[in-house]
Amino acid sequence: MAYSVMFAALWVVASTIVAMLPMRLQFPPGVVLFVSAPALIVWLGYDYGLVIGLLACAAFASMFRNPIRFYWRRWTGAEVHK
């Protein structure tokens, strides 16, 4: 098994554990997961091809849809609901 798959599996387990934490404790590890995900997606795409990379990107966007939506609105100047 390629290292990229092992790290992706560990990333998924870590994100599941972070999701079970109380909301006030989710932010710091969530940022680490959010920042490390693009490198992991590119690595998976490099090892297994474009389709797997796109599927991993879709899974990432699905898991982080609310933070992505929040920061997109904030960066574009749209109204942000906190």
Side-chain angles (χ1 to χ4, degrees), residues 7-59:
F7 280 109
L10 289 173
W11 187 92
V12 168
V13 170
S15 64
T16 303
I17 291 169
V18 168
M20 287 189 268
L21 292 173
M23 188 60 89
R24 62 186 167 80
L25 298 176
Q26 285 182 3
F27 190 77
V31 168
V32 172
L33 290 169
F34 188 79
V35 169
S36 65
L40 185 57
I41 290 168
V42 169
W43 191 11
L44 282 168
Y46 178 77
D47 283 350
Y48 293 100
L50 182 63
V51 173
I52 298 300
L54 290 174
L55 288 172
C57 189

